[in-house]
Amino acid sequence: METHAVFPIEHIPANTSHFVAPAPAPALADGEAMGIADPHTYQRLAALQRRTAELPQAPDRADLLAVLTCHGDEGAELCCHPQPAAAPGTRWETLATVSLDVAAGTLAVHPGGPCTLRNAAWTTIGRTDATAPVGPAADGRRARP
């Protein structure tokens, strides 16, 4: 399983497949590939920074899917498809697209990359009672779902 590093870009976290800076705690990155091992990591991070900078202040799911629908011919593979001519072990593929709605307490998943979502449905899991409180209660205790 790959470890992913998350770096905030304004109000949007950006995720790359390798550590792109030394970890705050060196043990955190022990055994993990650093970005230098795969220069495409830096291309993906730059593409995310460019594309998220153009988002509205309150992006919706469609806005975020547009950011992630980016292929190699657009400067970076944020949405990956296996290339038959690539060497074994380097035929990357986006297996799932996941969307979190923290306020609603749900997770939606689609098998495949964001570019395959045009008319596809999401599978949503999470709270079924949208009125149930989530997060800390007014007195600081965790509210029960």
Side-chain angles (χ1 to χ4, degrees):
M1 176 183 270
E2 254 181 77
T3 299
H4 298 277
V6 176
F7 296 89
I9 299 172
E10 296 290 324
H11 58 283
I12 309 264
N15 179 331
T16 63
S17 297
H18 303 90
F19 287 99
V20 294
L28 182 64
D30 279 353
E32 295 298 328
M34 297 298 286
I36 194 81
D38 180 3
H40 296 113
T41 293
Y42 298 101
Q43 293 169 348
R44 288 190 302 274
L45 183 60
L48 283 169
Q49 290 171 329
R50 250 187 340 272
R51 295 168 78 90
T52 56
E54 299 168 2
L55 285 171
Q57 186 62 31
D60 62 16
R61 185 186 289 170
D63 293 327
L64 297 172
L65 288 173
V67 166
L68 296 174
T69 302
C70 180
H71 300 94
D73 61 346
E74 298 170 89
E77 287 186 299
L78 301 179
C79 180
C80 298
H81 302 274
Q83 302 300 315
T90 64
R91 296 176 185 153
W92 313 121
E93 181 174 10
T94 301
L95 299 177
T97 302
V98 178
S99 174
L100 299 174
D101 185 333
V102 177
T106 60
L107 176 144
V109 65
H110 164 74
C115 73
T116 65
L117 268 157
R118 296 299 173 244
N119 294 310
W122 292 86
T123 299
T124 302
I125 58 174
R127 287 187 308 135
T128 56
D129 176 6
T131 63
V134 174
D139 63 5
R141 293 178 297 141
R142 175 107 178 121
R144 293 185 184 186

